[in-house]
């Protein structure tokens, strides 16, 4: 299904935050959207994520409050708890945000990317929870006819 959206970056995450499916454009947008990667871990621990997200502080705050919104410690997968522990130790930013205990579920919004090959992208996102599959589908899209739509088109050809 994801490959049927050649101009729409999309990926699916499992319950532990690992990407279980991704289309080519999602991986071109961010290598940490590739199958097997953990975008939550990457946003805090991979230095290139700070330059990819010009609003990195906002992105990380949303990531942690969203994690708290979907996390039930009683039902949490041990691998997810291990990731939370790793991030608590390795990232001052994660530790600070986690201590706030902010809980907000965001199913739609807006994100800016500073892509190293095509420049600035202003993309809307939709997060669709598939409880029966225990997956979260994340889809990005640009406004039709916008410079970001043109840059996404360019990204498909690289």
């Amino acid at each position: 299904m994801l490959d049927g959206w050649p101009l729409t970056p999309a990926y699916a995450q499992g319950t532990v935050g690992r990407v279980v499916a991704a289309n080519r454009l999602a991986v071109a947008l961010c290598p940490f959207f590739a199958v097997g990667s953990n975008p939550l871990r990457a946003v805090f621990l991979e230095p290139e994520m700070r330059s990819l997200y010009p609003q990195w502080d906002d992105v990380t705050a949303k990531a942690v409050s969203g994690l708290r919104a979907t996390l039930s410690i009683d039902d949490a997968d041990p691998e997810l708890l291990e990731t939370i522990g790793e991030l608590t130790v390795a990232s001052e930013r994660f530790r600070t945000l986690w201590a706030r205990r902010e809980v907000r579920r965001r199913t739609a919004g807006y994100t800016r990317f500073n892509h190293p090959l095509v420049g600035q992208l202003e993309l809307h996102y939709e997060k669709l929870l598939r409880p029966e599959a225990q997956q979260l589908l994340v889809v990005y899209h640009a406004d039709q006819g916008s410079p970001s739509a043109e840059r996404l088109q360019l990204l498909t050809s690289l």
Side-chain angles (χ1 to χ4, degrees), residues 5-142:
W5 298 339
L7 299 177
T8 306
Y11 65 92
Q13 290 179 280
T15 56
V16 297
R18 289 201 185 281
V19 176
V20 296
N23 66 14
R24 185 177 161 282
L25 190 53
V27 177
L29 180 61
C30 175
F32 299 105
F33 295 163
V35 172
S37 295
N38 184 325
L40 175 67
R41 185 183 181 284
V43 78
F44 287 99
L45 301 182
E46 300 296 339
E48 59 266 34
M49 295 298 270
R50 282 183 183 251
S51 59
L52 181 66
Y53 290 114
Q55 296 170 318
W56 183 79
D57 287 339
D58 186 50
V59 169
T60 56
K62 288 177 182 177
V64 174
S65 67
L67 175 62
R68 280 204 175 271
T70 58
L71 182 67
S72 167
I73 295 296
D74 294 334
D75 300 324
D77 185 286
E79 186 178 345
L80 180 57
L81 295 176
E82 184 177 313
T83 299
I84 292 168
E86 175 189 15
L87 291 173
T88 300
V89 170
S91 170
E92 175 68 32
R93 175 72 177 155
F94 181 87
R95 195 167 39 253
T96 299
L97 293 169
W98 191 251
R100 288 184 191 169
R101 300 190 184 280
E102 183 178 306
V103 178
R104 287 195 185 153
R105 182 178 306 253
R106 289 178 178 87
T107 58
Y110 169 81
T111 300
R112 289 178 48 214
F113 292 86
N114 187 19
H115 196 276
L117 299 177
V118 298
Q120 187 171 321
L121 295 161
E122 299 175 356
L123 303 177
H124 302 277
Y125 66 83
E126 307 287 333
K127 293 182 177 182
L128 309 162
L129 185 61
R130 297 184 57 223
E132 74 285 354
Q134 294 187 323
Q135 292 180 348
L136 178 69
L137 177 64
V138 181
V139 180
Y140 291 95
H141 59 92

